[in-house]
Amino acid sequence: MSSLQDRVKRAMRSIVPADGSTIGNTALRREIEALLQSEGLSIGEDDYWQAHGALVAEGVLLKGQGRGGSVRRAQATDANAPPPAGDPVRAARTVQPQDKTTMAQRKTSKTSKTSNTGRNANGGSLGFEAELFKAADKLRGNMEPSDYKHVALGLIFLKYISDAFEAKHTALLAEDPQAAEDKDEYLADNVFWVPKEARWSHLQASAKQPTIGTLIDEAMRAIEKDNESLKGVLPKDYARPALNKVMLGELVDLISGIALGEAGDRSKDILGRVYEYFLGQFAGAEGKRGGEFYTPRSVVRVLVEMLEPLPDPARGVAGRVYDPCCGSGGMFVQSEKFVQEHGGRIGDIAIYGQESNYTTWRLAKMNLAVRGIDSDIRWNNEGSFHKDELRDLKADFILANPPFNISDWGGDRLREDLRWKFGAPPAGNANYAWLQHIHHHLAPNGTAGVVLANGSMSSNQSGEGEIRRAMVEADVVDCMVALPGQLFYSTQIPACLWFLARNKNPEHGKPGGLRDRRGQVLFIDARKLGVLVDRTRRELTDEEVQKIAGTYHAWRGEAGAGEYADVAGFCKSATLEEIRKHGHVLTPGRYVGAAEQEEDGEPLEEKMARLAAQWRAQRAEAARLDAAIEANLRELGYGG
């Protein structure tokens, strides 16, 4: 490297903020140029980018989490380690200093969160979000929920990015008016650039105009034009004649009141919660179709709380999270929340996903953007089986809710695929194709949680039993959870959770390591858990989620999780030999047994006498009712 480039590197090191915050490449280059000009030196674009690339490759700097070019300082002690092989966005993220603690330390340092009053058992506020949805739903009129969700969610997204922009714009104006018009300053902080004609204040002022639909479409196009990552994502059909413009204007007014007067970060959090709540409500309104883009929050929380998607160097876990059928991105939102609740920050984990439904992919992109989550979410209409967009990715955590029992997945064209390590899945059912695709993408110490239909635990059709046997004998099945019924919008089919592990003995005996679980599988029967939230749907409470997750953590031997013990009727740690005796069927009910019945203290003779008397009294009452019915029938002329 030339002496000039070496000087650029030293300047870059000195200017990038020491506190770990990001700085845009435009602003950084401008400061470097000013510094070197004072020394009589000038640099070209190539000089800047060569120095930039060298420092990133060395692990001294990291690319920021913003959507544009930015960098931040890497302060990790092993920052010189190369990024993991197969990572599709090389060196985009590495473990941060706070991630060098063990999992137990991260869990005990969990930051307290401001509690919200009126929270339901599932952790979601039933306060203003519910009232807001009711008001928005009234405006829907006769419009189908499947159409209306794009109208409402698009506007919430627009309000979010406009509020975020205005907050950053105000802050920059106070510091440096010139910087307030520099796009890189916004992108460096993960804030979208919003041109004047697309800002919410402009739309709100025109809400009562008959042209409001056209103005919103123009705003969406302007935002996509100035933000590469949003191209093709935003809805742009608000001007269509079928959309009632009076209703649209009233919806703009309603959304204008969200987070009114709140500070920037608080406003963004509120809008993110509203977007997530609306997604769930629209999924419920659409029923089966809603399940195609939304996994119930309590199910996602079980997966996230059990897998704990945190970077954990003590176990060789870098923090790459993947979902091969990501829907609207709920797995990622909950994963980022988990990280924040345990002392981390957005960006500590790297998000990767794929979705075959274009409309759902757009919902995911907006959902993550509303939460300020940077991601690599790919779309193609062929899906993860036939066009694996992230074929080189090896993920530390995989969370997935694939469609159950799909028969038209094109398996006959993939008979010799290298992913089928345990056997070619049947062409008529994709369940074991999903499991093997997910196992294929696991890093050496990776773990996965997958939602599947209960039949996957016991089916012997078309070779599925042989594939399951091979997976069990290869010791990749870590835990099986039977879920209660009525959890899902899309189906009443009972579901279960498969947890897979590439390595059941990661760093055993070392600080932060887990116990050696080789040759064992944990079975949890959670079918009796959950509370009904309406006539047709059930949710798991916070306590029940923690009960399931805590059992798994104790069984894995996590520090601070307590001692594991089998509980009749709920959990059992089974050996491979026990599983062989059951023909490699993995239904938890076969292993956990029946729950012990508490003694009521009533002596057996007294109980039998009481029950016999009760039976005779009920038999006499039945005879009396039969006689009364017979008499009524005779009186009506229907006597025998």
Side-chain angles (χ1 to χ4, degrees):
M1 179 172 287
S2 70
S3 58
L4 175 60
Q5 288 173 8
D6 189 57
R7 180 66 189 96
V8 175
K9 283 177 62 178
R10 293 200 309 275
M12 199 172 284
R13 284 172 182 263
S14 66
I15 294 171
V16 173
D19 61 2
S21 58
T22 56
I23 181 172
N25 281 310
T26 300
L28 177 58
R29 182 178 168 186
R30 189 167 56 220
E31 291 193 36
I32 291 174
E33 287 175 343
L35 176 64
L36 297 186
Q37 281 175 2
S38 66
E39 302 173 10
L41 300 172
S42 62
I43 65 169
E45 187 172 353
D46 287 346
D47 296 316
Y48 175 84
W49 287 111
Q50 285 180 19
H52 173 282
L55 290 177
V56 168
E58 292 169 15
V60 176
L61 299 181
L62 301 174
K63 293 180 183 177
Q65 300 301 314
R67 299 174 184 85
S70 65
V71 291
R72 57 190 171 98
R73 191 179 294 271
Q75 298 170 327
T77 56
D78 64 345
N80 289 322
D87 205 331
V89 183
R90 292 186 60 80
R93 303 171 177 92
T94 45
V95 176
Q96 294 303 294
Q98 66 269 37
D99 296 326
K100 303 307 285 185
T101 55
T102 66
M103 176 72 75
Q105 290 170 324
R106 294 293 297 274
K107 291 172 72 176
T108 55
S109 68
K110 178 176 179 177
T111 56
S112 60
K113 292 287 179 184
T114 304
S115 61
N116 294 305
T117 57
R119 295 183 78 82
N120 71 349
N122 202 22
S125 170
L126 288 181
F128 80 95
E129 294 107 317
E131 294 303 316
L132 188 67
F133 184 81
K134 286 180 184 177
D137 199 44
K138 283 181 182 178
L139 296 176
R140 177 169 64 87
N142 295 324
M143 195 173 184
E144 288 294 324
S146 57
D147 293 327
Y148 187 61
K149 76 169 178 283
H150 298 292
V151 175
L153 293 174
L155 289 177
I156 294 171
F157 176 79
L158 191 56
K159 174 75 159 60
Y160 164 83
I161 64 170
S162 185
D163 282 8
F165 174 87
E166 293 287 7
K168 180 68 176 176
H169 187 257
T170 300
L172 287 174
L173 280 176
E175 298 173 5
D176 180 2
Q178 184 181 356
E181 302 307 318
D182 183 351
K183 288 183 183 181
D184 277 354
E185 294 290 343
Y186 298 85
L187 299 175
D189 279 350
N190 216 18
V191 175
F192 290 106
W193 173 265
V194 182
K196 289 181 180 179
E197 67 274 17
R199 293 172 195 172
W200 190 260
S201 55
H202 173 66
L203 298 175
Q204 186 181 359
S206 305
K208 298 294 189 291
Q209 300 298 319
T211 57
I212 182 61
T214 301
L215 292 174
I216 294 172
D217 285 346
E218 290 174 351
M220 296 291 191
R221 291 190 185 94
I223 290 168
E224 285 195 355
K225 181 180 178 182
D226 283 335
N227 298 275
E228 182 68 29
S229 65
L230 291 179
K231 279 189 171 25
V233 171
L234 306 184
K236 298 176 285 293
D237 54 356
Y238 289 87
R240 65 185 187 272
L243 188 58
N244 186 311
K245 301 307 180 291
V246 174
M247 175 276 288
L248 185 57
E250 291 176 351
L251 186 59
V252 169
D253 286 339
L254 179 68
I255 292 172
S256 295
I258 304 176
L260 189 64
E262 297 283 358
D265 287 344
R266 171 73 175 156
S267 170
K268 289 190 289 185
D269 181 60
I270 290 172
L271 281 157
R273 284 165 50 198
V274 170
Y275 190 97
E276 185 179 8
Y277 185 83
F278 272 43
L279 261 178
Q281 294 302 305
F282 283 126
E286 291 186 51
K288 184 173 182 178
R289 288 180 61 189
E292 295 175 4
F293 64 84
Y294 186 81
T295 302
R297 180 185 170 103
S298 67
V299 176
V300 178
R301 288 198 58 235
V302 172
L303 291 169
V304 170
E305 292 289 336
M306 288 182 72
L307 290 181
E308 301 178 305
L310 292 167
D312 190 3
R315 291 194 289 119
V317 174
R320 293 177 295 270
V321 179
Y322 171 56
D323 184 347
C325 43
C326 66
S328 56
M331 301 285 188
F332 303 137
V333 171
Q334 291 300 320
S335 294
E336 290 280 10
K337 283 183 181 178
F338 183 88
V339 170
Q340 290 180 289
E341 288 170 359
H342 290 78
R345 61 186 179 187
I346 285 181
D348 282 355
I349 56 177
I351 301 296
Y352 303 93
Q354 184 166 340
E355 173 57 44
S356 61
N357 183 300
Y358 182 67
T359 301
T360 303
W361 171 79
R362 290 165 59 196
L363 287 176
K365 294 282 283 185
M366 287 193 289
N367 191 18
L368 296 176
V370 162
R371 289 290 184 176
I373 299 171
D374 199 14
S375 61
D376 183 0
I377 308 295
R378 311 285 182 90
W379 167 82
N380 69 60
N381 57 14
E382 296 177 63
S384 294
F385 292 142
H386 293 276
K387 191 175 180 182
D388 189 356
E389 292 279 355
L390 299 162
R391 65 175 57 208
D392 294 324
L393 173 66
K394 298 299 180 184
D396 302 289
F397 306 98
I398 301 179
L399 304 92
N401 176 22
F404 294 174
N405 302 322
I406 55 172
S407 58
D408 56 348
W409 64 284
D412 54 332
R413 305 195 305 274
L414 295 171
R415 304 318 293 162
E416 304 299 324
D417 196 281
L418 60 85
R419 288 170 290 184
W420 314 148
K421 180 177 179 181
F422 306 105
N429 193 313
N431 288 344
Y432 280 87
W434 285 115
L435 286 171
Q436 294 189 81
H437 172 88
I438 286 164
H439 178 266
H440 172 78
H441 277 286
L442 280 177
N445 288 323
T447 50
V450 189
V451 187
L452 283 177
N454 270 3
S456 64
M457 298 188 289
S458 58
S459 171
N460 287 311
Q461 296 178 350
S462 305
E464 288 183 327
E466 286 302 307
I467 298 173
R468 186 173 57 253
R469 182 194 63 78
M471 293 180 69
V472 170
E473 294 297 336
D475 216 5
V476 301
V477 180
D478 204 33
C479 176
M480 299 296 301
V481 180
L483 294 172
Q486 297 178 272
L487 288 176
F488 295 86
Y489 295 108
S490 56
T491 180
Q492 293 304 310
I493 297 174
C496 63
L497 303 178
W498 288 67
F499 289 88
L500 309 179
R502 274 276 188 172
N503 180 6
K504 288 188 178 181
N505 187 31
E507 302 299 318
H508 175 58
K510 297 181 181 179
L514 304 178
R515 79 174 182 87
D516 187 350
R517 312 184 306 284
R518 288 176 292 185
Q520 302 171 53
V521 176
L522 176 64
F523 291 92
I524 297 176
D525 191 345
R527 289 176 296 172
K528 295 180 181 178
L529 303 184
V531 296
L532 284 171
V533 293
D534 56 41
R535 290 186 304 106
T536 61
R537 203 169 62 81
R538 185 179 296 272
E539 285 183 351
L540 295 166
T541 66
D542 284 346
E543 293 74 19
E544 290 168 336
V545 171
Q546 291 305 321
K547 178 181 180 180
I548 296 169
T551 300
Y552 182 55
H553 298 160
W555 178 77
R556 293 204 305 177
E558 292 184 23
E563 291 293 322
Y564 170 81
D566 291 341
V567 177
F570 178 66
C571 62
K572 163 74 174 177
S573 180
T575 64
L576 291 187
E577 187 55 39
E578 290 176 284
I579 296 171
R580 291 181 189 117
K581 290 178 181 178
H582 286 279
H584 296 92
V585 169
L586 299 179
T587 307
R590 289 200 176 206
Y591 301 89
V592 302
E596 295 180 4
Q597 298 294 320
E598 291 185 10
E599 289 290 336
D600 55 13
E602 185 178 10
L604 179 62
E605 289 188 6
E606 292 180 16
K607 180 181 291 187
M608 288 302 298
R610 176 178 59 79
L611 291 174
Q614 182 180 336
W615 172 73
R616 292 187 182 100
Q618 289 172 343
R619 189 174 63 171
E621 177 66 9
R624 186 189 69 78
L625 291 172
D626 285 345
I629 293 169
E630 178 67 25
N632 288 336
L633 289 172
R634 288 179 183 276
E635 193 173 317
L636 293 170
Y638 296 102

